[in-house]
Amino acid sequence: MLPRKYRSGLTVGFDLLLLFGVLPFVAGLRLELEELRAAKANPTEEPVIQSPVEQIEVSDAETIEEEPPNRPNLEMIMPVPKPELTAEAIETEDPFIAEARRRALEDPEAAMLWVQMQASGPERLRGMLEVVALWAADDSQNALLWLESNAQGLARIETLYSGMDLWSQQDPAAASEWITGMANDGSKVTASKALVANWVREDPAAAAIWVGGIEPGSLRSETANALVDSWIEVDPESATIWAMAEAESYGEHDLMAQAMTSYTAKSPRLAEAFLRNTSGAADAPGAIESYIEAYAKRYPDQAANWYDTLPEYDKLYDPNHAEILMREWSRTDSVAASGWLNDIPSGSKRDAAIKGFTTTMMEFEPVAAVAWSNQISDPVQRTETLKNSIIAWSKSAPDEALEWVNSSNLAPDVRLSLTSEIAAD
């Protein structure tokens, strides 16, 4: 028999393999389960068709013009309403899933046991998710009680999330009380995140109060992240204010950075106004840096133009922020980024921008990265950045890096240090 530690290792390895095997199917399956639940609750209601114009995401500078009222009518095929979800109406190409659904309508607990006896791996998880969708729609609490006591591994995590997702839409307050009584482990984190993701859309104040009552620690941190992720979508300013309070009270600076990143991705203009007009926002650790990083990722040329217009006395300005801007811009358009870099006058702003540029370009163009590193005006920063670039270059092309060092006009002691380090590798 294998020693216990090896058996534990094999179990963990199996769970990881199972996770990667199942994940491609989970997202689609959750949508399917939502459709089943909607069909059961309201089988004859025709779905609302969203206008294509309503689906367009509008940036700060964009507007949508209404189409002229005299445009020709376009015919389309309307979707057929889904039938009521009964044992007779269930149809599927997969006999196993069809049988799991049929049994779930009769006796969900017995259906769970049947699924676990009949299948394994991804197929078992898929069957359990089907049963959870039907069981939790009628009796979420008992469904989750069964899962907490009987499900294991990946099936426990995914089915608990699915069940809590449904219950939190029906009665979030009752679901929160049930979670409070759970043991503090990964399952409680999973359930808490599923709860707040829905609750904050309906009653953000109640959801925030509940999260605020969780003891500081990993459970609170992960649940707060899920809360902010969902809250940003409906009210980014309130979500960011709450995240800032968490950062001030509990040191959750990553949460504030996350909020600013999401806020900026939705609207750089409104996020900037928040930093300028909200007391303490610009001073929050990482807030401005997160804003610039998110802005540069989404609209790099606009971010560069915005940064260029900031006077040195502006509270959002720091010459070192050019490093963040260039690090992100050069990932997507190194030509435009290097053109902007060329136009910056010599000084701390240009030095910071070069550091950001070389950080990214070392992976793609090490020769260019080394050449730019040698253009830094501050001698201490130039030597440090140049050393880092050359050592990184020597990992993939030691002969070329060594040749560059030997033919350069570096100080003799720097050249000797670099040649020794390259040779040692």
Side-chain angles (χ1 to χ4, degrees):
M1 178 176 293
L2 289 172
R4 181 176 181 180
K5 65 178 182 179
Y6 291 111
R7 285 187 280 119
S8 299
L10 288 173
T11 301
V12 172
F14 175 78
D15 283 346
L16 289 174
L17 288 173
L18 179 58
L19 174 63
F20 289 109
V22 167
L23 282 179
F25 305 100
V26 169
L29 182 55
R30 283 190 181 142
L31 292 175
E32 182 182 345
L33 298 184
E34 284 299 310
E35 291 176 356
L36 288 172
R37 178 172 173 271
K40 183 177 180 182
N42 199 355
T44 59
E45 181 180 352
E46 292 188 0
V48 177
I49 299 177
Q50 189 179 26
S51 165
V53 173
E54 295 174 345
Q55 302 176 31
I56 298 176
E57 180 179 355
V58 185
S59 70
D60 297 336
E62 294 176 341
T63 57
I64 298 176
E65 297 182 1
E66 295 184 359
E67 295 184 16
N70 61 346
R71 67 182 186 278
N73 291 326
L74 301 177
E75 295 182 358
M76 66 178 69
I77 300 175
M78 300 299 291
V80 178
K82 292 180 172 58
E84 184 178 0
L85 188 62
T86 63
E88 293 76 21
I90 293 176
E91 294 181 0
T92 179
E93 296 179 358
D94 188 334
F96 170 70
I97 298 301
E99 180 64 14
R101 291 175 177 173
R102 186 190 68 77
R103 288 173 178 266
L105 290 169
E106 297 176 355
D107 187 341
E109 184 171 349
M112 279 291 198
L113 296 173
W114 178 84
V115 166
Q116 294 188 95
M117 293 175 60
Q118 296 296 318
S120 62
E123 192 69 8
R124 174 191 290 179
L125 176 57
R126 189 157 185 263
M128 290 178 70
L129 286 169
E130 294 279 357
V131 176
V132 166
L134 298 176
W135 193 357
D138 289 331
D139 188 1
S140 296
Q141 184 167 1
N142 280 326
L144 290 167
L145 283 171
W146 187 95
L147 290 169
E148 189 182 12
S149 301
N150 296 278
Q152 301 295 327
L154 179 63
R156 177 185 178 89
I157 294 172
E158 286 296 333
T159 49
L160 268 173
Y161 188 97
S162 180
M164 181 54 67
D165 187 47
L166 290 170
W167 194 10
S168 63
Q169 295 175 40
Q170 300 163 4
D171 191 347
S176 68
E177 292 180 6
W178 185 83
I179 290 174
T180 301
M182 293 179 68
N184 284 319
D185 59 13
S187 297
K188 189 169 187 175
V189 173
T190 296
S192 299
K193 291 165 69 174
L195 167 65
V196 298
N198 284 316
W199 199 0
V200 74
R201 290 185 172 94
E202 300 299 324
D203 191 347
I209 290 172
W210 184 75
V211 175
I214 301 175
E215 290 294 323
S218 60
L219 173 62
R220 182 186 178 115
S221 295
E222 293 195 47
T223 306
N225 286 337
L227 178 81
V228 169
D229 277 342
S230 293
W231 201 351
I232 283 285
E233 295 302 315
V234 293
D235 188 350
E237 182 173 354
S238 296
T240 309
I241 290 174
W242 186 84
M244 186 168 67
E246 285 287 291
E248 292 174 352
S249 300
Y250 301 99
E252 294 285 353
H253 301 301
D254 288 345
L255 184 66
M256 176 59 180
Q258 168 193 338
M260 280 308 307
T261 296
S262 300
Y263 199 168
T264 306
K266 289 184 70 67
S267 172
R269 177 178 55 82
L270 293 178
E272 179 188 358
F274 179 88
L275 286 171
R276 293 188 179 282
N277 302 329
T278 305
S279 177
D283 297 323
I288 299 176
E289 291 81 358
S290 297
Y291 171 78
I292 294 174
E293 182 177 8
Y295 198 178
K297 281 182 178 178
R298 186 150 187 155
Y299 309 109
D301 51 343
Q302 293 181 28
N305 291 335
W306 169 83
Y307 183 70
D308 274 340
T309 63
L310 294 177
E312 292 187 3
Y313 58 80
D314 194 295
K315 66 179 178 180
L316 301 187
Y317 177 81
D318 185 324
N320 293 320
H321 291 160
E323 180 177 353
I324 301 171
L325 173 63
M326 285 300 295
R327 186 175 63 237
E328 297 305 325
W329 193 1
S330 56
R331 293 185 200 278
T332 55
D333 191 346
S334 60
V335 175
S338 60
W340 182 79
L341 178 57
N342 241 340
D343 294 336
I344 303 176
S346 181
S348 57
K349 177 179 174 180
R350 179 182 171 90
D351 287 352
I354 291 174
K355 290 175 65 177
F357 185 73
T358 57
T359 298
T360 300
M361 294 312 296
M362 272 310 310
E363 181 179 352
F364 307 102
E365 294 289 345
V367 178
V370 170
W372 272 107
S373 298
N374 205 29
Q375 296 299 309
I376 294 177
S377 60
D378 181 84
V380 176
Q381 290 190 50
R382 180 174 65 248
T383 300
E384 179 184 356
T385 306
L386 192 56
K387 280 185 174 181
N388 292 337
S389 299
I390 291 172
I391 295 303
W393 183 17
S394 68
K395 303 296 183 184
S396 58
D399 293 338
E400 294 178 24
L402 187 60
E403 182 181 353
W404 189 95
V405 170
N406 288 329
S407 61
S408 68
N409 59 351
L410 297 174
D413 58 331
V414 175
R415 189 183 304 117
L416 179 60
S417 174
L418 284 171
T419 54
S420 299
E421 195 161 349
I422 294 172
D425 290 339

